[in-house]
C-alpha cells in the first residue's frame, strides 16, 4: 500500500512539473504572439514603372496597371463599369506585372454582392479558395473571393481590407490577372501590395493549446493524489424509514413544481419578482434533491429560443445560462455534502446515512465523457485560430463549455443506486432520478409540440413556404423544432410501444401522438425523409431483439410498421405541393443550392484541415470566400447542412474524429444495453434518437445549437447511467 502511495505521489509531482512548464511556455507564447503582430501597411501611393517592384504599396493609379475599358480610376481606387449582362459577363478586368514573393489586394468589403477571380502566372492565386468547377470568364481555374461581408459595412460604405492572395517562394517577376464581377459603384479594389509576408508567426492557438494541456495535467495530478480520508461504509440496514424517504421526495417535487409554475408566470408576464421567486423555490427543492434542477432545465430547453428569465428589474438572463450556472453551483454544493446513496437524502436529514454520490464517481470518467472533454478543449483551441474570435468564443461558451459543464452536473448530482437490481418499471418511481430526467425532457417536448398543434389550428405563428403551412412553436424555424422532436419522439415511441406497464404505454402513446403530429406539420424534409425512417428502422430492429429476449410476441413490430405507414399516409395530400414536387430536382431551388453549399463546404474543409475555420465562423468564411456565384440567393448560412462537414469546418479533422468517436461509443453502449441491460426499452429509444439525429443531420444541423448539444450530453449520460448502477459505486 505504501509503495502504491509513493508511486502516486511521484506521478502527481511529475505531472505538476510538466503542467507548470506547459503553462509558462503557453503564457510566453501568447505574449510573443501579441508582441509580434504584423505592422499595418502604409497608405497606397502612386508608383512609376511598368512593373511593380517588391515591398511597395501601390495605389490603383500606378502605371503598372492595365485596365479593360470603362474603369474609373482615382486616388480612392478602381471602380469597374456596369456590363450589359452582369450575370453573364464580368464588369471588367485588369492586369499587371510585379516582383516579389507575396501579393496583397486592398479590397472594399461590405453589404453588396460582387466577386473576383485571380490568376498569377497563369495559375490560380494560391492564397484564395480554388473551388472545382468555379472558373473565370475564360474557363480558367482561378483564386476566388467575394466582396460580400455585411459585418464590415460602415456608415461611409464598404470597408477596405488587405487580403493576402498569393505566395510564391521563388519570387521573381510574375503577371497577375484580376477579373471583377458586378461591384460597380463600390470602388471594390483600393490598392495592391507586394510586401513579403512573415515566414513564421507565433500563432495564438498554440499558446492556448499549451495552457489547455497544463490545465488537464494539473487536474490529473490532483485526481491521482493519495487520499487521506477513510471511506465510510454503509451498513446493510437503512437507518431512515420509507415514510421519511417518501415525504422528503414528494415535498421536494411539490416545491419544484410550484417554483416552475411561478417562474413560468414571471417569464410569460415579464415580471421579474415571480420569476426570481420561482427560481429560488426551484433552487430550494434542488438542495433537497439536486436532480430536480437538471430536470427543470431539460423541461425548459425548447423554450430557450424565445424566452429569457427576468431575474432582475433591469435584466433578463438566458434559460440555458441560468440552468448551467445554477446546476454547477448545486454540483459543487452537492459534492461538499454526503448523502444517502439510495435517494440522495442530505446528511442532515434525521435518519439518513452518509455516503458518496451514486453515479458521479463512475459516470464522470466514462470514455464518452472523456471524449466530450476532448471536444470542449479542442474547440477552445480552434477559437484562437478563428478569424472572428469574438463570435467563436461566444459559441464555445454557450455550446461547448455549457455541454461539458452539463455533463459534469449530471454526473455529480444524479442518483442511480436506487435502481440497482430493480425491475424496469422502477425506472419511473418517484425516487429515481434517471426516470425524472427522461420524464421532464419528454414533457417539455410534448408541451411545445402541443403549442405547435394549437398554432396550426389557429393559423398563428406559421411559416408559409412552398405551398404548405409549417409549425415552429417557439423556435425561429420549423426545422429547429423538427430537429428537437426527432430526439424526443424516438424515446416516447419506444416507451409507448415496448414499455412493460400498460398505463405507462398509454401515457407515452399520447405524448408520441402529440409530438409526432407536430413533427409532421413542420414539413421538414430531413425529418420526414431521413430522420423518421431511420428512427422506425432502429425501433423495429431493436424491438425484435428485446421481444425475443423477453419471450414476448413480436406483433408489436407491426405496430411500428403501422406508425410508419400512417405517417406516410398523412403526408400524401401534401405530395402535390411545391415543397415535395421538386424534391429530386437539383437544377433549381433548395436541392440546387444545397449541392452548391456542399461543394463550397467541402473545399473549405480541405483548405482548413487541422482547426477548421473555428466555432461559429462558417457564416463569415463561407459568404466572403466560398459562396459560389450560382448560390448567391442564400448567402447567410451559418452551417453546411451536413453534420460531417459541420464538425470538420468548425473544428478540423481532430474535431471530426472526436465527434465520430463520441457518437460511435454512444451507439455501441446503447446497443449493448438493448441486448443485455436492465432497461432495454429506454436504451432502444435513445439509440433510435441517435439514428434519427445523424440521418436528419446529413442535410441539416445536428449539434451546434445550445439545446441540441445539451440533448447530445443527455443521450450520452443516459447510455451509461444504467451500467454504472449495475456496477455500484
Amino acid at each position: 500500500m505504501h509503495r502504491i502511495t509513493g508511486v502516486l505521489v511521484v506521478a502527481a509531482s511529475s505531472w505538476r512539473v510538466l503542467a507548470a512548464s506547459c503553462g509558462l511556455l503557453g503564457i510566453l507564447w501568447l505574449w510573443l504572439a501579441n508582441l509580434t503582430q504584423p505592422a499595418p501597411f502604409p497608405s497606397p501611393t502612386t508608383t512609376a514603372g511598368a512593373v511593380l517592384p517588391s515591398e511597395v504599396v501601390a495605389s490603383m493609379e500606378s502605371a503598372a496597371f492595365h485596365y479593360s475599358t470603362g474603369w474609373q480610376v482615382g486616388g480612392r481606387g478602381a471602380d469597374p463599369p456596369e456590363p450589359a449582362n452582369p450575370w453573364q459577363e464580368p464588369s471588367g478586368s485588369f492586369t499587371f506585372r510585379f516582383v516579389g514573393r507575396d501579393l496583397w489586394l486592398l479590397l472594399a468589403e461590405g453589404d453588396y454582392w460582387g466577386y473576383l477571380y485571380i490568376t498569377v502566372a497563369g495559375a490560380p492565386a494560391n492564397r484564395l479558395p480554388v473551388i472545382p468547377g468555379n472558373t473565370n470568364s475564360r474557363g480558367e481555374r482561378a483564386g476566388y473571393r467575394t466582396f460580400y461581408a455585411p459585418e464590415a459595412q460602415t456608415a461611409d460604405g464598404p470597408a477596405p481590407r488587405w487580403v493576402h492572395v498569393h505566395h510564391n517562394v521563388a519570387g521573381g517577376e510574375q503577371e497577375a490577372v484580376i477579373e471583377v464581377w458586378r461591384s460597380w459603384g463600390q470602388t471594390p479594389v483600393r490598392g495592391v501590395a507586394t510586401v513579403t509576408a512573415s515566414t513564421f508567426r507565433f500563432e495564438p492557438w498554440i499558446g492556448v493549446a499549451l495552457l489547455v494541456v497544463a490545465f488537464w495535467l494539473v487536474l490529473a495530478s490532483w485526481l491521482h493524489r493519495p487520499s487521506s480520508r477513510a471511506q465510510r461504509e454503509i451498513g446493510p440496514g437503512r437507518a431512515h424509514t420509507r415514510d421519511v424517504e417518501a415525504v422528503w421526495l414528494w415535498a421536494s417535487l411539490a416545491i419544484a413544481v410550484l417554483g416552475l409554475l411561478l417562474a413560468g408566470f414571471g417569464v410569460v408576464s415579464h415580471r421579474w419578482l415571480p420569476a426570481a421567486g420561482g427560481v429560488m423555490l426551484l433552487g430550494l427543492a434542488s438542495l433537497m434533491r439536486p436532480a430536480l434542477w437538471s430536470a427543470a432545465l431539460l423541461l425548459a430547453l425548447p423554450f430557450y429560443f424565445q424566452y429569457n428569465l427576468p431575474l432582475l428589474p433591469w435584466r433578463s438572463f438566458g434559460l440555458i445560462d441560468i440552468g448551467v450556472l445554477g446546476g454547477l453551483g448545486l454540483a459543487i454544493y452537492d459534492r461538499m455534502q454526503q448523502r444517502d446513496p439510495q435517494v440522495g437524502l442530505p446528511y442532515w436529514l434525521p435518519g439518513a446515512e452518509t455516503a458518496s454520490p451514486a453515479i458521479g464517481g463512475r459516470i464522470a470518467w466514462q470514455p464518452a465523457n472523456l471524449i466530450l472533454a476532448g471536444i470542449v478543449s479542442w474547440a477552445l483551441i480552434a477559437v484562437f485560430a478563428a478569424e472572428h474570435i469574438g463570435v467563436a468564443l461566444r459559441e464555445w461558451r454557450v455550446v461547448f463549455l455549457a455541454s461539458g459543464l452539463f455533463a459534469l452536473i449530471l454526473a455529480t448530482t444524479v442518483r442511480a443506486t436506487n435502481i440497482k437490481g430493480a425491475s424496469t418499471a422502477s425506472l419511473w418511481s418517484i425516487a429515481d432520478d434517471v426516470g425524472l430526467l427522461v420524464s421532464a425532457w419528454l414533457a417539455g417536448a410534448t408541451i411545445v409540440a402541443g403549442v405547435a398543434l394549437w398554432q396550426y389550428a389557429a393559423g398563428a405563428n406559421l411559416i408559409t413556404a412552398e405551398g404548405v403551412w409549417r409549425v415552429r412553436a417557439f423556435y425561429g424555424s420549423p426545422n429547429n423544432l423538427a430537429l428537437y422532436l426527432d430526439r424526443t419522439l424516438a424515446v416516447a415511441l419506444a416507451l409507448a410501444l415496448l414499455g412493460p406497464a400498460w398505463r405507462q404505454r398509454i401515457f407515452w402513446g399520447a405524448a408520441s401522438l402529440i409530438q409526432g403530429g407536430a413533427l409532421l406539420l413542420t414539413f421538414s424534409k430531413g425529418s420526414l425523409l431521413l430522420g423518421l425512417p431511420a428512427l422506425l428502422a432502429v425501433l423495429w430492429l431493436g424491438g425484435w431483439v428485446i421481444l425475443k429476449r423477453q419471450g414476448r410476441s413480436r406483433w408489436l413490430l407491426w405496430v411500428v410498421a403501422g406508425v410508419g405507414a400512417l405517417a406516410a399516409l398523412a403526408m400524401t395530400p401534401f405530395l402535390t405541393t411545391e415543397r415535395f414536387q421538386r424534391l429530386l430536382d437539383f437544377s433549381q431551388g433548395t436541392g440546387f443550392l444545397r449541392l452548391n453549399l456542399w461543394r463550397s463546404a467541402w473545399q473549405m474543409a480541405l483548405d482548413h484541415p487541422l482547426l477548421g475555420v473555428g466555432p461559429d465562423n462558417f457564416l463569415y468564411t463561407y459568404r466572403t470566400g466560398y459562396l459560389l456565384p450560382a448560390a448567391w440567393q442564400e448567402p447567410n448560412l451559418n452551417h453546411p447542412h451536413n453534420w460531417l462537414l459541420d464538425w470538420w469546418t468548425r473544428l478540423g479533422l481532430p474535431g471530426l474524429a472526436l465527434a465520430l468517436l463520441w457518437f460511435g461509443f454512444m451507439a455501441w453502449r446503447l446497443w449493448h444495453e438493448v441486448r443485455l441491460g436492465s432497461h432495454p426499452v429506454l436504451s432502444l429509444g435513445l439509440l433510435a434518437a441517435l439514428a434519427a439525429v445523424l440521418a436528419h443531420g446529413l442535410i441539416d444541423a445536428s449539434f451546434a445549437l445550445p439545446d441540441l448539444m445539451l440533448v447530445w450530453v443527455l443521450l450520452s449520460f443516459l447510455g451509461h447511467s444504467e451500467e454504472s448502477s449495475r456496477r455500484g459505486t
Side-chain angles (χ1 to χ4, degrees), residues 590-657:
T590 302
F592 173 76
L593 294 173
R594 196 62 50 85
L595 288 178
N596 280 282
L597 171 64
W598 290 337
R599 284 176 58 198
S600 298
W602 174 253
Q603 189 60 49
M604 186 191 300
L606 293 177
D607 291 344
H608 303 82
L610 180 61
L611 293 158
V613 298
D616 204 22
N617 269 243
F618 181 89
L619 168 68
Y620 309 99
T621 308
Y622 170 67
R623 67 189 182 189
T624 303
Y626 293 87
L627 174 60
L628 289 168
W632 69 271
Q633 298 96 327
E634 284 193 1
N636 300 316
L637 298 175
N638 59 8
H639 63 89
H641 287 73
N642 176 278
W643 65 268
L644 291 163
L645 290 172
D646 203 357
W647 281 97
W648 190 350
T649 54
R650 284 179 195 270
L651 303 182
L653 281 173
L656 175 60

Side-chain angles (χ1 to χ4, degrees), residues 305-323:
F305 187 85
Q306 182 164 328
Y307 295 106
N308 289 322
L309 277 170
L311 298 182
L312 295 172
W314 60 88
R315 185 173 180 183
S316 296
F317 299 87
L319 288 171
I320 293 179
D321 290 339
I322 295 299

Side-chain angles (χ1 to χ4, degrees), residues 79 172 260 367 456 674:
D79 192 44
L260 282 172
Y456 189 83
V674 168

